[in-house]
Amino acid sequence: MDVDYSKELPVVEGRLTLAQIEALVAKPMDSKPDRKFFMALSITLTLLLIGVGSLGASFYYGIGLWGNNQPVGWAMPIVNFVFWVGIGHAGTLISAILFLFRQKWRTGIARFAEAMTIFAVMTALVFPLIHTGRPWLGGYLIPYPNQHSLWVNFTSPLLWDVFAVSTYFTVSLVFWYVGLIPDFATLRDRTSSKLKKVIYSIFSLGWRHSHRNWQHYEKAYMLLAGFATPLVLSVHTIVSFDFAVSILPGWHTTIFPPYFVAGAIFSGFAMVVTVLIFVRKIFDLQEIITIDHLEKMNKIIMATGMMVGYAYGMEFFIAWYSGSPVETFVFINRAFGPYAWAYWIMVSCNVIFPQFFWVKKIRRSIPIMFVIVILVNVGMWFERFVITVTSLSRDFLPSSWGYYKPTMVDFGILLGSFGLFFTLVLLFTKAMPVVSISEVKAVADDAQPSHHGGDH
Amino acid sequence: MKRTNELHGVGAIFNTPNEIIKAAEAVSGKGYKSFDVHTPYPVHGMDNAMQLKPSKLGFITLGAGLTGTTLALSLMYFTMSVSYPMNIGGKPFFALPAFIPVTFELTVLLATLSTVIGMIAFFFKFPANSHPLHDTAYMKACSADKYGVYIEATDEKFNEAEVKALLKSLHPASVEDIFTVQPESYPVLTAKFATLLLVVVVIVAGGTYGILNKALYTVPFDWMLKQGKLNPQGNHVMFADGYGMRPPVEGTVANGYIPYEFASLKKEQPANPLVNPLIANAEVLKLGKKKFLTYCSPCHGNYGEGDSRLGIDALKGLSLHSDKVRKWQDGNIYHVISVGQNNMPGYATQLTRNERWSVILYIRALQIAKNASETDIKEVGSNGK
């Protein structure tokens, strides 16, 4: 290897000028959507329609259409909720944690990952609401003085979840919008269309790229990153509390919070890589979202994959070491019981396949990387399935054991959630800059003064 | 945007970040205060070059964050410990460890929102879409890939010739005069706007009415309104007569009801089998008086003289002090109260059996009081001692 580690690799390849960067990023917004876009949109809208139909049937006939029943009352809706919330975590990790660690390579992918966070959390929010069976009563989740003089239970993890996920969504949205303000201003000054100018003027709020504003803006960005970092850790921690605070064997473990957070970052990065592979190709962003970016993300996928693998192993170790027969049974049942098929899909997708990323050639090969990240997505969905379903289906009382099978409606709703997520992603690519123009300009070659005053 | 002839400021465009740092240093070094640097992205080292003080934004964040913490803890204290304390899993009413997650989330939420809103509204004074710099070649260049320094005419040291000479000495790509914008007025009460308001009102009011009064009562939102149950006062398709309510089965006896078996007899006849089960004590007489005054006195009068308490001739009843009534046994009176006679209806539905017997004892007391003799007084007197 003849890499000079004393010198940082250029974040933007091909020595693009600032104007070229801007033109590249703004191209999807300057041009009319093409055939490929509509074809993709029709696919995602079809998926969405399947989901809407399934949900409509569920509302009309009731949730008896789902497979949920005693003893598995938490099934696909909760599995899907945890899966989608987890997907969202990569965006905040990239935009906030990597920002605090001064990882310049994040600039190319941060905007897109943040957008995916927002869309994933929106998709996730559907599930707890429909899981209640009467989503139109969701207002009771908010503590407000009502005529029953009843309040929500602040000691319940399910309520912590309401606060955590809604705060996470709001903060992510605000963080995202703050990042978009300078880009809206750039688009406003760039466009020749009158209508677009009005829209961009409204959203840019009259931003003037003034350094007096940039000074506060950078401060605010750092503060927001500082808040988003513990927030993102808290969200999946609290999601894991939904399980860990209960007394069910297989759920009642202290490893859950870090295990869930690692899993969330793992699955989120896999989803970001999956989508970026297409986006950089379709929008000619290979020089901004470079193969180096993908390689770095693959390294994180491998690292978090091993953390998840460690958690799987540690769960078994503790089950044995605790000496609790019920705990021991649950884990043996997971690996060799009726849901062994799901367990081994999970282990192979999450622990074994990411090990291929030890090889640099594989880390930098788009087709192989694509297969592996898809497998990781599948594996992480099954992880939530295994945790939720196996523990519930066989608990303390053998007489009430059961075998949960999802119905067609369950799968329809799952497909619909993918439809919703990808529809939003597609619309986003056409409506807003998928890469932060101002941030990428700032890290381009020669973008910073060569003799700056020593404040960095 | 229409512009006036009044100069708002002078801007100079530079091509490289190094030049703009030098320009900023030169302008701030000359003592100008109302100047600004416009760059498409934050340029490192510019804070020092412009001699800016550190941002005070963090104080808003700190204040709002602490407010969030206090708000969350006091909300949970009030709801869980004061307003509706409930024992949940044996936790104390103020279960601090269990309150930490929500406290943290609300702290972050308030701190974030206040930081951003504070920055945009107070630090930036946004929205500011009518600022003179908008729609100028200077702004468009700074938005894309150039770097501009801009000195405002409001600066104390501003002198057009001096400023231009200073900027020219820095070798800019171009220098531009920027003029102030004529303030635009937006008349509110135009026909178009009023129509728009009207349309909004109609849509919002109609939508609210439709949702709250119609949509919420249709499937599937009519939860618990339409139930598959039988409504006693309503119609029901299940029965031939169309009523939801069923008559009781023939011969059904209501709980506690004992039929009056002598209803078909003449009024003299039941006297023998019917004996008053009560003895006249203060409690019984009190009940009897109450019931007598409620049900009997409207016709028979407060003292049973047949003079109608209401003073209505048509209601005037028989005197209860007649020889006939005084000689009747309790059973005869009971029969008349139960089934009625002549104009008097039966009171079996209004008065329970005990109440009827109490009323009879009260009537007896009235009769004795009304027709008392010297001996009666003596008797009471001697018994009383």
Side-chain angles (χ1 to χ4, degrees):
Chain A
M1 294 289 215
D2 50 351
V3 184
D4 177 10
Y5 287 104
S6 62
K7 218 177 141 216
E8 255 185 282
L9 290 169
V11 179
V12 180
E13 286 178 356
R15 292 196 68 83
L16 296 177
T17 64
L18 301 186
Q20 282 171 320
I21 291 172
E22 186 181 316
L24 261 180
V25 178
K27 204 175 93 185
M29 277 145 292
D30 292 347
S31 57
K32 284 226 161 73
D34 56 358
R35 250 175 102 93
K36 272 191 284 182
F37 178 78
F38 284 114
M39 274 164 62
L41 196 62
S42 63
I43 294 171
T44 63
L45 281 177
T46 310
L47 289 176
L48 181 59
L49 207 64
I50 293 172
V52 170
S54 307
L55 270 184
S58 306
F59 288 157
Y60 192 85
Y61 295 106
I63 55 173
L65 289 182
W66 304 346
N68 306 23
N69 210 331
Q70 290 296 353
V72 184
W74 276 18
M76 287 270 280
I78 300 299
V79 172
N80 295 342
F81 165 69
V82 181
F83 174 72
W84 281 112
V85 168
I87 296 287
H89 280 47
T92 321
L93 183 102
I94 291 169
S95 63
I97 301 181
L98 295 187
F99 176 81
L100 293 183
F101 283 124
R102 298 282 184 272
Q103 295 293 309
K104 281 187 191 164
W105 60 274
R106 67 175 268 289
T107 51
I109 54 172
R111 168 70 47 74
F112 202 87
E114 283 171 41
M116 285 179 57
T117 296
I118 289 160
F119 303 146
V121 175
M122 282 164 78
T123 311
L125 278 173
V126 171
F127 288 101
L129 278 182
I130 63 164
H131 183 68
T132 62
R134 287 183 186 152
W136 47 92
L137 298 182
Y140 286 112
L141 294 170
I142 299 161
Y144 71 102
N146 54 46
Q147 69 270 39
H148 315 296
S149 61
L150 273 175
W151 296 98
V152 293
N153 177 9
F154 284 107
T155 58
S156 160
L158 299 179
L159 188 84
W160 303 345
D161 230 12
V162 173
F163 277 83
V165 178
S166 53
T167 302
Y168 183 46
F169 178 69
T170 316
V171 171
S172 302
L173 193 66
V174 167
F175 200 22
W176 189 53
Y177 178 64
V178 166
L180 274 165
I181 292 175
D183 285 4
F184 280 132
T186 298
L187 292 170
R188 170 199 70 200
D189 289 336
R190 181 188 167 77
T191 185
S192 50
S193 145
K194 230 179 156 180
L195 177 70
K196 279 187 190 169
K197 190 174 150 90
V198 170
I199 294 170
Y200 291 139
S201 295
I202 290 170
F203 283 107
S204 69
L205 299 168
W207 176 264
R208 296 189 294 276
H209 301 284
S210 148
H211 190 78
R212 287 178 195 276
N213 290 356
W214 277 124
Q215 191 205 8
H216 299 303
Y217 179 91
E218 286 201 293
K219 179 93 180 173
Y221 207 84
M222 203 184 70
L223 286 169
L224 292 197
F227 277 120
T229 301
L231 180 65
V232 70
L233 300 181
S234 86
V235 172
H236 230 58
T237 299
I238 290 174
V239 168
S240 80
F241 283 167
D242 291 348
F243 299 91
V245 173
S246 77
I247 54 162
L248 201 70
W251 287 5
H252 188 65
T253 55
T254 48
I255 202 176
F256 260 34
Y259 164 32
F260 267 53
V261 171
I265 292 163
F266 180 54
S267 68
F269 266 73
M271 188 60 101
V272 172
V273 171
T274 313
V275 181
L276 282 185
I277 285 173
F278 289 102
V279 167
R280 68 193 286 274
K281 185 85 193 154
I282 292 169
F283 297 113
D284 295 323
L285 293 173
Q286 283 102 323
E287 282 146 331
I288 294 173
I289 303 169
T290 64
I291 202 90
D292 287 332
H293 290 150
L294 296 177
E295 190 193 348
K296 279 174 176 145
M297 286 200 275
N298 288 340
K299 283 179 182 169
I300 294 181
I301 289 176
M302 189 172 71
T304 47
M306 286 191 292
M307 287 183 209
V308 168
Y310 168 79
Y312 297 159
M314 189 47 68
E315 278 188 323
F316 272 84
F317 171 74
I318 292 294
W320 164 76
Y321 189 66
S322 69
S324 158
V326 190
E327 193 81 11
T328 314
F329 166 77
V330 162
F331 284 94
I332 290 172
N333 179 53
R334 255 186 208 175
F336 305 107
Y339 286 107
W341 57 275
Y343 183 80
W344 292 108
I345 290 177
M346 168 186 102
V347 170
S348 48
C349 289
N350 293 350
V351 185
I352 298 168
F353 289 120
Q355 299 307 317
F356 285 112
F357 282 145
W358 284 108
V359 183
K360 184 166 183 168
K361 268 213 171 114
I362 292 179
R363 282 205 301 271
R364 297 178 74 90
S365 152
I366 300 268
I368 302 179
M369 171 198 317
F370 181 70
V371 172
I372 293 177
V373 293
I374 289 287
L375 286 174
V376 169
N377 281 323
V378 172
M380 282 311 290
W381 189 86
F382 271 101
E383 181 192 299
R384 279 66 181 248
F385 182 86
V386 165
I387 291 172
T388 311
V389 173
T390 59
S391 302
L392 281 171
S393 71
R394 292 191 165 184
D395 62 2
F396 302 102
L397 201 61
S399 62
S400 61
W401 285 0
Y403 189 81
Y404 164 75
K405 260 188 251 158
T407 63
M408 288 303 284
V409 179
D410 281 320
F411 285 114
I413 295 171
L414 177 61
L415 284 182
S417 72
F418 279 94
L420 174 64
F421 178 76
F422 285 110
T423 305
L424 291 168
V425 166
L426 277 177
L427 294 178
F428 163 70
T429 58
K430 265 301 187 192
M432 290 173 207
V434 293
V435 170
S436 173
I437 301 175
S438 64
E439 281 189 21
V440 172
K441 278 180 184 170
V443 295
D445 294 323
D446 302 329
Q448 296 299 345
S450 49
H451 61 88
H452 52 68
D455 69 337
H456 269 277
Chain B
M1 292 203 287
K2 279 186 183 159
R3 292 183 187 272
T4 60
N5 288 327
E6 197 187 329
L7 194 65
H8 183 268
V10 181
I13 293 285
F14 296 89
N15 282 328
T16 66
N18 285 342
E19 285 172 351
I20 193 69
I21 289 277
K22 273 185 195 153
E25 278 166 354
V27 173
S28 65
K30 288 271 177 194
Y32 289 102
K33 297 278 177 239
S34 298
F35 77 100
D36 208 343
V37 170
H38 298 95
T39 54
Y41 52 87
V43 172
H44 294 170
M46 188 57 81
D47 293 0
N48 288 345
M50 286 174 74
Q51 299 177 11
L52 294 179
K53 287 185 188 117
S55 170
K56 289 199 170 60
L57 192 61
F59 290 105
I60 292 188
T61 315
L62 181 68
L66 291 177
T67 312
T69 313
T70 321
L71 200 76
L73 282 175
S74 31
L75 173 74
M76 287 185 280
Y77 170 71
F78 172 72
T79 58
M80 302 292 283
S81 313
V82 178
S83 174
Y84 207 120
M86 239 196 304
N87 185 341
I88 296 160
K91 294 187 188 87
F93 292 138
F94 191 78
L96 189 61
F99 291 169
I100 294 298
V102 173
T103 310
F104 171 75
E105 302 300 335
L106 280 183
T107 306
V108 167
L109 184 66
L110 237 72
T112 310
L113 290 181
S114 310
T115 306
V116 171
I117 293 170
M119 174 180 78
I120 288 172
F122 302 119
F123 285 75
F124 295 174
K125 308 246 183 323
F126 281 175
N129 274 315
S130 53
H131 193 276
L133 275 173
H134 289 308
D135 283 324
T136 58
Y138 173 85
M139 190 76 258
K140 285 193 172 148
C142 293
S143 218
D145 56 352
K146 299 284 189 277
Y147 313 85
V149 61
Y150 182 74
I151 304 175
E152 286 181 23
T154 49
D155 193 284
E156 281 174 9
K157 290 184 68 184
F158 188 83
N159 175 309
E160 199 180 336
E162 271 179 32
V163 164
K164 278 190 179 160
L166 169 68
L167 291 176
K168 289 247 167 73
S169 73
L170 298 164
H171 310 295
S174 65
V175 174
E176 189 181 341
D177 291 342
I178 289 168
F179 296 96
T180 52
V181 177
Q182 274 182 356
E184 284 179 72
S185 63
Y186 301 94
V188 175
L189 283 173
T190 58
K192 231 176 165 179
F193 186 66
T195 320
L196 178 75
L197 277 186
L198 199 70
V199 169
V200 169
V201 166
V202 168
I203 289 174
V204 170
T208 313
Y209 177 83
I211 288 167
L212 293 182
N213 292 302
K214 302 286 174 214
L216 279 180
Y217 298 98
T218 54
V219 179
F221 303 106
D222 58 351
W223 47 280
M224 289 190 188
L225 281 179
K226 283 184 190 163
Q227 301 181 2
K229 70 175 186 186
L230 192 146
N231 189 347
Q233 303 296 335
N235 297 334
H236 206 277
V237 292
M238 201 151 82
F239 303 111
D241 62 0
Y243 288 110
M245 194 153 44
R246 291 294 88 201
V249 178
E250 197 108 350
T252 306
V253 177
N255 194 5
Y257 173 79
I258 293 178
Y260 181 57
E261 53 199 302
F262 307 114
S264 58
L265 300 183
K266 283 187 177 159
K267 64 174 180 277
E268 290 80 12
Q269 283 170 318
N272 290 332
L274 281 174
V275 179
N276 196 335
L278 304 178
I279 47 164
N281 58 26
E283 208 177 315
V284 167
L285 286 177
K286 200 179 162 195
L287 177 67
K289 181 182 179 187
K290 189 182 168 195
K291 294 297 166 186
F292 181 86
L293 290 175
T294 307
Y295 294 106
C296 313
S297 68
C299 302
H300 290 292
N302 281 340
Y303 302 105
E305 290 171 312
D307 56 346
S308 171
R309 163 160 68 84
L310 304 175
I312 300 169
D313 284 345
L315 286 180
K316 280 187 177 159
L318 284 168
S319 168
L320 299 176
H321 302 295
S322 64
D323 278 353
K324 185 179 84 175
V325 179
R326 285 173 64 193
K327 278 176 188 157
W328 268 359
Q329 292 186 12
D330 285 0
N332 296 108
I333 306 180
Y334 186 85
H335 184 79
V336 170
I337 296 177
S338 299
V339 301
Q341 71 171 352
N342 303 333
N343 285 339
M344 177 177 163
Y347 281 82
T349 49
Q350 282 99 322
L351 295 168
T352 65
R353 285 177 298 144
N354 272 357
E355 283 166 357
R356 276 174 257 165
W357 288 120
S358 310
V359 168
I360 291 164
L361 286 174
Y362 182 68
I363 292 172
R364 291 296 185 217
L366 284 180
Q367 286 170 345
I368 292 168
K370 198 74 189 171
N371 305 290
S373 59
E374 294 287 324
T375 52
D376 289 334
I377 297 167
K378 273 181 192 162
E379 223 172 281
V380 171
S382 59
N383 282 352
K385 280 179 185 170

